[in-house]
Amino acid sequence: MGNKLHEVFPDFDVLSEIELSCDVVCLIYDVSNPCSFEYCSRIFKQHFMDSKTPCMLIAAKSDLPETKQQYCMTPLEFCRKHKMPPPQSYTCNTAAAPSKDIFIKLITMAVYPDITHADLKSSAFWLRVSVGATVCAVLGFAMYRALLRSR
């Protein structure tokens, strides 16, 4: 789809192939609206539950009091059940600039779609990453020395 964000409005009942062919999905619900999360869960189950597209749930208007969502489970329970990262709080109603953390997480999920939230907490995952990085560094250094000698 390219390097851009594309918003899909909630009044769409049917998502097009273009809208479904994306690198990452960001489902946003309003913490102060008790019916908001149900729509996100329906979209996820209908279009993304069986796909390999990474999804993130955003709890918008997090500066407002959180209202119990009219759904059979909490957003956090939903995320755990579907192996998604926990809902990310977000608000624009602050004196400071809004946080960029969510955008960084979305970009990371898009670039590394095979890394799950559970992988990021796994010590075995970080062991593999560190061994891989060490091997790359050693090979790079060996190639550097070999190039210096050949001059």
Side-chain angles (χ1 to χ4, degrees):
M1 190 165 203
N3 298 328
K4 66 178 184 172
L5 292 174
H6 177 74
E7 183 175 5
V8 177
F9 295 97
D11 54 346
F12 284 19
D13 289 331
V14 179
L15 296 175
S16 71
E17 283 299 315
I18 292 172
E19 292 165 336
L20 291 173
S21 64
C22 54
D23 296 323
V24 67
V25 174
C26 178
L27 300 165
I28 304 172
Y29 75 99
D30 179 349
V31 298
S32 65
N33 179 344
C35 302
S36 180
F37 175 69
E38 188 274 332
Y39 178 77
C40 289
S41 68
R42 192 165 23 101
I43 292 296
F44 175 80
K45 287 179 177 180
Q46 185 177 4
H47 298 289
F48 301 105
M49 189 163 85
D50 296 325
S51 78
K52 299 240 186 249
T53 306
C55 297
M56 179 183 284
L57 194 60
I58 307 295
K61 299 184 182 178
S62 60
D63 58 305
L64 299 176
E66 191 167 344
T67 305
K68 181 175 174 16
Q69 295 295 314
Q70 294 178 356
Y71 192 69
C72 60
M73 63 182 81
T74 67
L76 180 59
E77 292 168 339
F78 182 87
C79 289
R80 286 181 181 153
K81 178 179 178 182
H82 296 288
K83 296 180 173 65
M84 294 168 57
Q88 304 295 305
S89 297
Y90 189 78
T91 185
C92 289
N93 194 14
T94 64
S99 174
K100 297 176 185 173
D101 290 346
I102 288 175
F103 299 103
I104 293 168
K105 289 176 184 177
L106 287 169
I107 290 168
T108 303
M109 290 172 71
V111 173
Y112 305 105
D114 295 330
I115 297 177
T116 65
H117 176 64
D119 286 340
L120 294 176
K121 289 188 171 183
S122 166
S123 59
F125 169 77
W126 288 111
L127 177 64
R128 288 191 311 253
V129 168
S130 61
V131 168
T134 302
V135 168
C136 289
V138 168
L139 288 174
F141 183 72
M143 289 177 61
Y144 172 75
R145 292 196 38 116
L147 287 173
L148 281 179
R149 283 187 196 149
S150 65
R151 287 185 182 188

